[in-house]
Amino acid sequence: MRIGGLIGSAVVAVLVGFSSPAQAADAPSVGAKEAYVIDSAGTVHLGKRETRRVPVASLVKVMTAYVVLHEANLSDTVTITATDVKYAARGGAATAGLRKGERFTVRDLLYALMLPSGADAANALAWHYGPGKAAFIAKMNRTAHSLGLADTHYTNPDGMPTPANGGYSTALDQAKLAQQALESGTFTSVVGSKAHKVTKTGVHRAHTWRNTNKLLSQADDVLGVKTGYTNAAGYCLLFAGQRNGRTVVGVLLDDQNTRRFTTAERLLGYAGEQIAFG
């Protein structure tokens, strides 16, 4: 009886060991007021008030870049005006340090738009490819409609607060937009760059633009995408990375500055585990 009992216990132990596969970790806590994480297979890994309409600050510039990429040739040149420079300075927005009279290719202005989040670059591109800001904003909203972003409305190309009829979007819509934008190799190359330098020429000064997205330095296989901040929107982050053969896209809205990057890194890891465990 004693021997049989020992053998039975051993068999049970072995069976238990083989029938208890490792479990994927629980989802990390998310302090952002709105959040959403989805992968390229359509699996949703996290949702938190993802359909709530809120301001999204400079995440708006993702749509600006998306529209420009469909309107422009990368070799087109755009001249910076006094209006572009004054607009950004007057509103206290982030700038790329552009000056009146400088001329840049669209390719370089996309870096100026997305890395330092230049409102001056946004203004210049909108005026050129509207033509005029009102026409460009109309293109942004038509594009949002065509992409099925039913809870998104744009009032400018840079995400700065407007006194009335303020723009808004949702975490869900921003993730959808990022998935579309990342299909462009040019867009992916821009938002995945830690820095971009343009050398001095006869039409512009030398510039070095550094990416405000710290996640690029904190985690591996990160694709971008965009940071944002205003008092109304709080700290925002739209991020993407490759995990176990899929592209994971996430959005954090109205978060804390440093926490958004650490949370995004954890969410990418969590999504990767969920994909691995099927």
Side-chain angles (χ1 to χ4, degrees), residues 56-72 87 106 109-114 117-130 132-133 136-141 143-144 147 149 152 154-160 174 177 181 187 190-191 225-226 238:
V56 296
S58 286
L59 303 195
V60 165
K61 296 185 179 84
V62 174
M63 179 59 85
T64 300
Y66 187 85
V67 172
V68 168
L69 283 167
H70 285 78
E71 294 280 324
Y87 169 80
V106 166
L109 280 180
L110 287 171
Y111 283 98
L113 174 74
M114 301 302 286
S117 201
D120 41 6
N123 205 68
L125 288 165
W127 274 105
H128 195 85
Y129 289 104
K133 285 178 71 172
F136 188 86
I137 293 164
K139 289 179 179 179
M140 294 172 72
N141 285 311
T143 302
L147 294 177
L149 310 184
T152 296
Y154 296 104
T155 57
N156 59 42
D158 51 77
M160 290 296 289
Q174 288 300 296
L177 174 58
F187 180 87
V190 170
V191 299
V225 179
K226 189 72 187 72
L238 176 57

Side-chain angles (χ1 to χ4, degrees), residues 61-275:
K61 296 185 179 84
V62 174
M63 179 59 85
T64 300
Y66 187 85
V67 172
V68 168
L69 283 167
H70 285 78
E71 294 280 324
N73 293 314
L74 294 176
S75 59
D76 289 352
T77 58
V78 176
T79 301
I80 307 304
T81 68
T83 301
D84 301 327
V85 177
K86 291 177 181 177
Y87 169 80
R90 184 173 62 249
T95 80
L98 309 182
R99 291 185 181 177
K100 174 187 174 182
E102 288 189 302
R103 295 202 306 275
F104 297 92
T105 64
V106 166
R107 182 187 295 275
D108 282 336
L109 280 180
L110 287 171
Y111 283 98
L113 174 74
M114 301 302 286
L115 271 60
S117 201
D120 41 6
N123 205 68
L125 288 165
W127 274 105
H128 195 85
Y129 289 104
K133 285 178 71 172
F136 188 86
I137 293 164
K139 289 179 179 179
M140 294 172 72
N141 285 311
R142 285 198 299 271
T143 302
H145 179 76
S146 70
L147 294 177
L149 310 184
D151 294 300
T152 296
H153 177 70
Y154 296 104
T155 57
N156 59 42
D158 51 77
M160 290 296 289
T162 51
N165 301 318
Y168 56 80
S169 188
T170 67
L172 176 61
D173 277 4
Q174 288 300 296
K176 287 181 180 179
L177 174 58
Q179 287 179 314
Q180 292 295 319
L182 288 166
E183 291 184 5
S184 163
T186 299
F187 180 87
T188 302
S189 178
V190 170
V191 299
S193 300
K194 294 180 181 178
H196 181 72
K197 294 182 179 181
V198 291
T199 57
K200 182 179 179 180
T201 69
V203 295
H204 61 69
R205 298 174 301 133
H207 292 267
T208 298
W209 297 308
R210 303 189 186 283
N211 203 323
T212 56
N213 187 357
K214 296 179 182 179
L215 187 61
L216 287 164
S217 300
Q218 288 185 199
D220 295 329
D221 298 320
V222 173
L223 302 176
V225 179
K226 189 72 187 72
T227 62
Y229 173 78
T230 62
N231 287 335
Y235 288 96
C236 302
L237 179 64
L238 176 57
F239 61 94
Q242 296 288 348
R243 293 294 181 273
N244 288 319
R246 298 185 193 174
T247 299
V248 178
V249 172
V251 187
L252 297 169
L253 303 178
D254 201 354
D255 203 350
Q256 295 176 2
N257 186 7
T258 302
R259 186 176 66 186
R260 58 183 164 162
F261 300 112
T262 56
T263 300
E265 183 177 4
R266 290 170 184 159
L267 286 170
L268 285 173
Y270 169 71
E273 290 176 356
Q274 295 294 310
I275 293 167

Side-chain angles (χ1 to χ4, degrees), residues 33-51:
K33 291 184 179 178
E34 297 83 28
Y36 189 67
V37 180
I38 189 171
D39 68 36
S40 51
T43 301
V44 177
H45 298 280
L46 181 88
K48 180 180 179 182
R49 301 188 189 96
E50 67 272 19
T51 60

